[in-house]
Amino acid sequence: MAGLHPFTTRAAPGQAHLRIMATTDLHVHVYSWDYYADRPSDSVGLARTAALARAARAEAANAVFVDNGDFLQGNPLGDFIAYERGLDSGAPHPVIAAMNAAGIEAATIGNHEFNYGLDFLTGALAGAAFPVVSANLVTRRGDDPRADRLLVPPYAILDRQVIDGAGRHHALKIGVIGLAPPQVTVWDRHHLDGRLTARDMVEAAAAWVPRMREAGADVIVALAHCGIGAAEHREGMEHAAIPLARLPGIDAVVLGHSHLVFPGPAFAATDAVDPVAGTICGKPAVMPGFWGSHLGVIDLMLERGAGGWRVIAQGAEVRPIAGPVPGSHAGPPADTVAEVLDAARDDHEAALAYVRRAVGRTRVPLHSYFALLGDDPSIRIVAEAQRDYVARMLAETEHAGLPVLSAAAPFKTGGRGGPQNYTDVAAGPLAIRNVADLYIYPNKIRAVRVTGAELRDWLERAAGVFRRIEPGRADQPLIDPEFASYNFDVIAGVSYEIDLSQPPRYCPAGALLDPSARRITALMHAGRPVADDDVFAVATNSYRAGGGGNFPGTGGDTVIFEGPDTNRDLLLRYVTEREEIDAPGPPAWRFRRLPGTSVLFETGPRGAEHVGRLDALDIETIGETSEGFLRFRINL
Ligand code: MN
Ligand code: MG
């Protein structure tokens, strides 16, 4: 074990070293297990992060361990509890039990905590042995933030005894405030409409932090379930780290939500952000990865004076449980804490049995390696299951005459998740874990009514994933890494081409960039061009229909059908009813030909097994990249 931290050895009488340890975005990862691949994954799991926390605690005279939200949803263990086991037995939720066993002392609520509804969240939190706080999740809005009625208490004051450099004990009140992105009310509108609203994070923190000082907080830690975004505050901003850190009274900031690592090279140095020292506006900050990949460690040297305790020195770091990149398996993994594993063991094993259950078969491999090139059997089966369901649901309604289209996007396309982060289901038996791999989010089925013009703009919004390509040039990078692949909706039931020589009409976040830009061409339905005033029903999910991704034709008032089932459940039913999934029909779209032009595309190395089936593409393999992806050239 490492020795004592210098702040502990150096502390003079009246000075105390306080260490804040943090996890974020656990997404129900307690065991080091990939439930989709059904194999160990050393770079995830709270049982290992908790071992790092034990070691880090032993290095400091005084320490506190917190979690920053998004713990309740995100893997099949979470689904098993929500959909199969439930909470009625009174047994605690396994991730809450594991957080209790890990010694978490306070936590906040992330956006994904709402995915299974408010009642499930409330039931899960009832098992927490630690306070759960959030200052901007409002059940009844008041005239100002301090008059709001909130879902959970806005903050907690942890009464602790700390030991100073002379070995003397002092009372120390550690204030912990929580904040969540206000977009939760859009993302989970179907669960929250009429039950929960959200205030701006900075507005709420500015109101509550002085109250915490009045209540005696000596030190204040902000658990901000958000990333690092713009330096200037804007009402309702999703990534408010900088304006939050700038607030007087906040001493340290724990970040998350973006699933990145801070301090670290993922962030550029700016006036406000020091990605080497780990400070934002001079305050120490950490973003400890996701799925338990890292432990965040903030060190404060506190000095007691006439005005109370103040911070006189600080540090911030992150400690990985395995290699530097989740999934890379480089470097020895941390130990596990037996009590944390024990707390979730029965549910983990039941979840393994649940996900291994075979429900059907597929004659073709279902994978996402080439989803962004137009050939994606994994999207097509999702789209077909949605279309089939919505067509039946609309049959008895006033919308029965509408042609039913279906929008689906690839959720696993490498990116930050690394070269293993692809959907990959071999031909043969299909188990629940395979179906869960085809649809990883617990969205619910929706249908919207759109015009031909809105349909075209929906596809334009999705086509923003591609960079603009200059005709006649070789080897141009194809994908804009800023674009989240879950926003690359493919719409089945129409056919179209994407003209990469044209600029994107929308930016990666969804704002209209260039009203004259058009990439979607040859948009056809039932053998004829789509007219602007045609009308369609589009099967989609609750996230998209509610306005997630800011797509034309979505946002609330276009919704014509809201189903109680998750898209995954109806996919599961579709597979179960058919028994055997056959080769899908032709792809919905292709690139418009640009002779003499080539682009570069990267995918997971196991994509090599499927490249021979890409009949519609002129594609050649180049080789592996330093990050472990496989690179291809496509002649357009
Ligand atoms: Mn998350
Ligand atoms: Mg989040």
Side-chain angles (χ1 to χ4, degrees), residues 372-374 460 463 466-472 478 495-503 518-523 588-599 616-618 634-636:
L372 301 177
L373 301 183
E460 291 284 0
F466 302 113
R467 292 175 189 256
R468 187 179 187 178
I469 300 302
E470 196 181 312
L478 177 63
S495 65
Y496 51 100
E497 294 186 357
I498 296 176
D499 184 350
L500 298 174
S501 71
Q502 299 303 307
R518 291 284 178 200
R519 288 179 154 182
I520 302 300
T521 65
L523 177 59
W589 69 276
R590 58 179 189 171
F591 293 120
R592 185 157 178 248
R593 301 241 24 230
L594 294 173
T597 312
S598 64
V599 293
L617 287 171
D618 179 358
I634 298 116
N635 298 302
L636 291 172

Side-chain angles (χ1 to χ4, degrees), residues 188-545:
D188 276 307
R189 174 174 288 165
H190 58 296
H191 287 309
L192 302 179
D193 234 7
R195 300 186 71 185
L196 192 88
T197 60
R199 263 193 205 270
D200 177 73
M201 290 187 276
V202 180
E203 180 193 12
W208 285 106
V209 164
R211 174 81 195 94
M212 296 167 73
R213 292 283 176 186
E214 289 162 29
D218 295 301
V219 177
I220 293 182
V221 182
L223 301 183
H225 189 84
C226 68
I228 302 172
E232 292 314 312
H233 175 235
R234 281 192 307 266
E235 168 67 28
M237 68 197 299
E238 180 181 348
H239 299 292
I242 297 172
L244 282 172
R246 197 180 286 133
L247 287 177
I250 289 179
D251 296 300
V253 184
V254 178
L255 298 168
H257 185 52
S258 310
H259 292 202
L260 294 171
V261 174
F262 183 89
F267 293 92
T270 68
D271 288 349
V273 178
D274 184 335
V276 178
T279 60
I280 300 178
C281 300
K283 311 275 179 69
V286 290
M287 189 191 297
F290 60 104
W291 301 358
S293 65
H294 294 71
L295 181 74
V297 178
I298 292 174
D299 289 298
L300 301 176
M301 182 73 113
L302 303 174
E303 185 172 79
R304 194 175 154 84
W309 294 92
R310 65 188 183 97
V311 178
I312 57 165
Q314 62 194 29
E317 62 172 305
V318 282
R319 300 182 180 183
I321 64 170
V325 180
S328 73
H329 298 279
D335 292 337
T336 54
V337 174
E339 293 90 330
V340 175
L341 294 175
D342 289 346
R345 173 163 287 118
D346 291 349
D347 289 317
H348 169 68
E349 285 171 2
L352 289 178
Y354 166 75
V355 300
R356 288 168 184 167
R357 249 182 249 164
V359 291
R361 297 182 57 80
T362 174
R363 289 172 70 91
V364 291
L366 303 171
H367 63 85
S368 64
Y369 292 112
F370 300 101
L372 301 177
L373 301 183
D375 192 289
D376 188 347
S378 74
I379 291 181
R380 272 184 275 169
I381 183 176
V382 170
E384 185 46 35
Q386 294 175 172
R387 200 206 58 76
D388 178 74
Y389 179 90
V390 166
R392 279 187 281 128
M393 292 297 140
L394 294 184
E396 305 289 307
T397 74
E398 58 182 302
H399 308 291
L402 295 179
V404 180
L405 312 178
S406 186
F411 296 143
K412 297 172 75 181
T413 58
R416 289 169 190 165
Q420 309 299 325
N421 182 35
Y422 292 85
T423 299
D424 188 350
V425 180
L430 272 175
I432 288 177
R433 71 177 174 89
N434 304 128
V435 176
D437 194 22
L438 287 165
Y439 207 105
I440 59 177
Y441 298 112
N443 298 321
K444 291 194 173 170
I445 185 71
R446 296 288 181 269
V448 295
R449 184 182 191 273
V450 299
T451 64
E454 287 168 331
L455 176 70
R456 191 185 306 271
D457 276 351
W458 187 322
L459 294 169
E460 291 284 0
R461 164 76 181 91
V465 70
F466 302 113
R467 292 175 189 256
R468 187 179 187 178
I469 300 302
E470 196 181 312
R473 263 187 58 206
D475 290 354
Q476 305 171 65
L478 177 63
I479 303 298
D480 180 347
E482 292 299 305
F483 192 102
S485 77
Y486 55 75
N487 282 330
F488 182 63
D489 273 1
V490 172
I491 298 190
V494 288
S495 65
Y496 51 100
E497 294 186 357
I498 296 176
D499 184 350
L500 298 174
S501 71
Q502 299 303 307
R505 186 171 171 84
Y506 296 91
C507 77
L512 183 62
L513 204 59
D514 181 350
S516 66
R518 291 284 178 200
R519 288 179 154 182
I520 302 300
T521 65
L523 177 59
M524 307 280 287
H525 174 256
R528 64 174 190 86
V530 171
D532 281 357
D533 58 357
D534 286 347
V535 182
F536 300 94
V538 181
T540 181
N541 61 53
S542 46
Y543 170 80
R544 179 72 74 243

